[in-house]
Amino acid sequence: MFMIKTEDLCKNFGELKVLKNCSLSVEQGEVVCLIGPSGAGKSTFLRSLNHLEKITSGKIWVEEVLLDDRIDSVNQIKMSAKERQKSLLEMGMVFQRFNLFPHLTVFENIMLAPMEVRKMKRAEAEVIVRNLLEKVGLSDKADTYPSKLSGGQQQRVAIARALAMQPKMMLFDEPTSALDPELVGEVLQVMKDLAEEGMTMIVVTHEMGFAKEVADRVVFMYEGTILEVDTPEVIFTNPTNERTKAFLNSVLNL
Amino acid sequence: MKQKQKWKLTTFLNKYKVWFIVIAALIVVCIPLALTTPGVEDFKSQVPTEFNQLEAKKESEVFKNGGIMSTYIATKQISSSSVERIAFLGIAGHVFHADGGVSQFFANSITWFPSLMDGTKITVLLTLFSVTTGIFLSIFLALGKMSKIKPISWFCRGYIFFFRGTPLLMQLYFIWFGIPLIIPALTISDRFLAAWIAFSLNGGAYCAEIIRAAIESIDKGQFEASKAVGLNYRQTMIKVIIPQTYRRLIPPLANEFIMVLKDAALTSIIALKDLSKVTSSIMSSTGEVTVFLLAMIIYLVITAIFSKCFVLLEKKFSLYD
C-alpha cells in the first residue's frame, strides 16, 4: 500500500519547466532518498508534495486520498479545506535552514502546533514534547532560545517540531546542507533512528553515505525528470543511466 | 517563583543606585529650602523706593503650599500705555533681583511654569492617546492591505493613500470645521477629542506602512514552517509572525511618536491649548521671547523620557537574540 503517490507532476516557474512528468510511489515505512545535481528539481518536488509550491499539473495521492489533480494549474477536484488540511498534516517537513520560531523557546517551538492545531491540552502536549526532546537528545535545552543552539541542535529541534504533529510521513529538504561538517552526524543519527522505527521518509540529500546505508530506494533526478529509481546497491554500484554514472562519479570520487 | 522576583528587585536597585542617591540628595536639599519660604516683606524691603508705593504682587510659586521658590513682580506706571516691571526671585529665604540675563529668565520661568505644565499635559496626553489608537488601527490597516480579499485591500490602500497624501493640518481643519458644516449630526464639540480623532486617523496610516514593512521583513521560511506544521493564516500571524515584528517595530514607532509629539503644535489652529500654543500666547501677552527656550527644554525632557522607555521596550523584546 502506498503512502504517497504522484503522477505526471509538472511545475513551471513561468517559462522554466522545473518538474517534468514526475511519477513516484512511496510505500508505507519506506525510506526514499532523492539525489541529483543542484537545479534538478529535488526540493521543488518535495515542496510540492506539501503544497508549499502549487503544482502546474499532475496528481498527488496521500493514503488513497486524491489531494491534488491539476491540469494547467486548474484544480480538478473540489476538496474542503478541512479535508486537505487533514491530509497535509500527515506530512512533517524539515527545512534546510531549520526555520525554527526564534521568539519561542525550544519547548514552545515544539508545543505550539499540537496545542494550536490539534487543540491538545497543555499537560498532554507537554508529555509529547518531553518524549520528543528525549528522542532527539535535547532534554536539557528545553528552555533555550533557538539562537543559542548549534545548527545540529536546531535541526534536531526542527525534526522534533515536525514529529510533534504525529505525521505518518516525514519530508526532509536537505536537512544537513546548512550544517558544519562535524554537526552532520548527530542529525543523520536522529534520522536513522526514525527510519528504524518504521517512519516513511522522503529525503533530499547530498549525503551519499546516508543514502547508501538507510535508503530502501534511491531516486536520481536530473533537469526536472526522474531518471532512475532503484535500490541503493544498484544505483551506487551499477547504475544504468549515463547521467547517474557521471553524477555519482563527480560526487564520490572527490 | 518568589525567589526569582526578589532577585530581579535587587538587580533593579543596584542598576539605578546612582539615580536613587541623586533623588535622595535632592530631597534632602529641598527640605531647608521649603522650610524657609521668603516672605512678601523680604521682597518689599528690596524694591526701589519709586516702585514701593505701588502694589507688590506675589506672582507664582513652584510647588504649592509653602513653595521653594517664588517670584515677585513690582510694577511702575510710566505712562498710560507702558509699564516698567522689576522681577524678584525668592529662594531659600532670600529675595534676589531678577531684572536681567539669566536670573530674569530663571524668575520668569518660574512664573510661566504652571501654565506651561497645563500645555504639556495636553500635548503628552494627545500624543499618548493618538499613538495608541493609531497603532491599534494600523494593525488592521496593514493586514487589510496585505489581504487577498480585494475590496478590503482596496479600501485599506485608499485609506493609507488619502491620509498620507493630505496634510494633517487640513485633516484637522476638516474634522473640526468641515464636518459640522457638511454633516451636522457628526459634530465633535470637544477640541481635544477632535484632535485625538484627527491624529489617530493620520497616525494609523503611517503606522500601517511601518507594520506592513515589518511583517514583510520576516523571513519567508517562517511562513513555510508555520504552514508545514498546520497553522492557519490567523494562527501564523498571531503566534509566529507578529511577535517577531515587535522588536523591529520599536525604532520606527518611537520615531512616529516623537513626530506626533511635535505635530501636536498644529492643534493651535483649533485653539487647543497645547504646549506650543501656551508658549506663543505667553510670548504675545508678556513680550518675553525667552519662553520658547523653556518650552524647548520641556519638549526635550519629554522626548528623553519616552526615548528611554522605547529603548527599554526594545531590550525586553530582544530577549531571544
Side-chain angles (χ1 to χ4, degrees), chain A residues 44-210:
Chain A
T44 311
F45 180 73
L46 199 72
R47 289 162 59 84
S48 53
L49 296 182
N50 205 8
H51 279 208
L52 289 178
E53 303 282 358
K54 256 190 198 141
I55 58 171
T56 310
S57 65
K59 293 178 185 176
I60 300 173
W61 283 270
V62 175
E63 284 195 308
E64 311 291 337
V65 179
L66 184 58
L67 191 60
D68 248 327
D69 181 4
R70 283 173 195 269
I71 298 168
D72 292 332
S73 300
V74 181
N75 204 348
Q76 302 292 303
I77 46 161
K78 283 276 169 278
M79 202 177 193
S80 74
K82 224 176 182 175
E83 278 177 79
R84 175 177 295 120
Q85 178 76 343
K86 195 167 164 274
S87 287
L88 286 174
L89 285 182
E90 305 295 358
M91 294 180 255
M93 179 100 180
V94 175
F95 299 87
Q96 183 179 357
R97 303 244 19 120
F98 330 129
N99 294 349
L100 291 178
F101 306 133
H103 61 300
L104 301 176
T105 63
V106 167
F107 200 84
E108 292 164 338
N109 256 284
I110 304 172
M111 199 157 71
L112 179 65
M115 282 182 68
E116 289 292 321
V117 183
R118 296 258 195 243
K119 306 286 175 212
M120 266 184 206
K121 294 266 180 342
R122 200 179 172 86
E124 204 182 335
E126 271 179 23
V127 174
I128 292 176
V129 178
R130 295 255 174 254
N131 286 338
L132 282 171
L133 277 175
E134 200 172 321
K135 195 172 186 173
V136 298
L138 289 171
S139 296
D140 54 328
K141 300 284 185 197
D143 296 322
T144 322
Y145 285 99
S147 56
K148 298 276 187 291
L149 299 178
S150 74
Q153 289 169 331
Q154 287 193 46
Q155 194 60 298
R156 277 144 66 197
V157 174
I159 293 173
R161 181 178 65 178
L163 288 174
M165 290 303 288
Q166 292 158 329
K168 292 186 175 159
M169 165 179 31
M170 289 285 283
L171 311 177
F172 292 85
D173 187 5
E174 304 196 21
T176 56
S177 298
L179 297 179
D180 289 337
E182 80 271 19
L183 302 175
V184 169
E186 61 190 61
V187 173
L188 291 183
Q189 189 55 49
V190 170
M191 289 166 67
K192 271 181 208 164
D193 295 345
L194 262 184
E196 271 162 30
E197 282 170 26
M199 174 66 78
T200 311
M201 288 161 62
I202 304 178
V203 187
V204 173
T205 189
H206 292 296
E207 297 293 330
M208 295 305 150
F210 177 80

Side-chain angles (χ1 to χ4, degrees), chain B residues 243-263:
Chain B
Q244 289 184 54
T245 62
Y246 291 158
R247 192 172 55 94
R248 299 173 197 214
L249 283 176
I250 299 296
L253 285 184
N255 212 11
E256 170 71 14
F257 187 90
I258 290 167
M259 297 280 284
V260 172
L261 184 74
K262 288 174 292 182
D263 279 348

Side-chain angles (χ1 to χ4, degrees), chain B residues 7-275:
Chain B
W7 173 81
K8 266 187 179 168
L9 185 68
T10 46
T11 45
F12 176 77
L13 289 176
N14 267 327
K15 201 170 166 188
Y16 298 104
K17 208 181 341 187
V18 179
W19 288 106
F20 286 123
I21 293 169
V22 168
I23 291 166
L26 274 176
I27 291 169
V28 170
V29 171
C30 285
I31 289 169
L33 291 184
L35 291 177
T36 54
T37 312
V40 182
E41 294 310 312
D42 293 324
F43 152 69
K44 276 184 175 165
S45 66
Q46 292 217 21
V47 176
T49 40
E50 67 263 38
F51 285 80
N52 228 353
Q53 311 97 8
L54 295 165
E55 200 180 330
K57 201 170 104 214
K58 190 171 180 182
E59 197 138 284
S60 79
E61 278 179 322
V62 177
F63 305 146
K64 282 173 183 150
N65 306 328
I68 297 164
M69 293 183 283
S70 45
T71 52
Y72 305 87
I73 309 285
T75 50
K76 184 177 77 168
Q77 202 83 27
I78 298 169
S79 66
S80 59
S81 61
S82 70
V83 173
E84 200 184 333
R85 302 162 78 247
I86 303 181
F88 292 88
L89 172 63
I91 184 167
H94 291 280
V95 174
F96 302 98
H97 269 276
D99 47 1
V102 177
S103 60
Q104 189 181 21
F105 172 65
F106 199 61
N108 280 335
S109 296
I110 294 163
T111 316
W112 298 323
F113 199 71
S115 47
L116 284 176
M117 271 299 121
D118 289 340
T120 308
K121 202 169 74 189
I122 286 181
T123 298
V124 170
L125 284 182
L126 180 64
T127 310
L128 276 177
F129 284 14
S130 45
V131 170
T132 311
T133 43
I135 289 173
F136 186 71
L137 181 67
S138 66
I139 296 170
F140 294 100
L141 284 171
L143 292 177
K145 192 174 173 182
M146 292 188 293
S147 168
K148 283 188 186 118
I149 306 164
K150 282 280 148 60
I152 293 178
S153 170
W154 285 335
F155 173 78
C156 295
R157 265 165 211 279
Y159 179 96
I160 293 168
F161 176 69
F162 178 79
F163 278 95
R164 291 208 311 163
T166 52
L168 176 55
L169 189 70
M170 291 184 188
Q171 293 160 15
L172 199 56
Y173 264 132
F174 184 75
I175 286 172
W176 183 246
F177 298 113
I179 287 181
L181 295 176
I182 301 165
I183 321 162
L186 288 178
T187 304
I188 300 155
S189 52
D190 185 62
R191 293 172 203 279
F192 185 83
L193 186 64
W196 180 9
I197 291 172
F199 276 71
S200 302
L201 294 178
N202 183 274
Y206 280 94
C207 293
E209 287 298 281
I210 294 172
I211 288 177
R212 189 181 61 84
I215 288 175
E216 284 176 357
S217 75
I218 301 290
D219 181 26
K220 231 179 104 221
Q222 295 291 312
F223 288 95
E224 291 185 346
S226 309
K227 200 181 167 196
V229 290
L231 297 174
N232 61 29
Y233 178 77
R234 196 181 58 83
Q235 291 165 331
T236 304
M237 279 298 168
I238 294 173
K239 294 285 174 180
V240 180
I241 305 300
I242 292 179
Q244 289 184 54
T245 62
Y246 291 158
R247 192 172 55 94
R248 299 173 197 214
L249 283 176
I250 299 296
L253 285 184
N255 212 11
E256 170 71 14
F257 187 90
I258 290 167
M259 297 280 284
V260 172
L261 184 74
K262 288 174 292 182
D263 279 348
L266 291 176
T267 53
S268 61
I269 59 143
I270 61 167
L272 185 67
K273 291 193 178 65
D274 83 306
L275 182 50

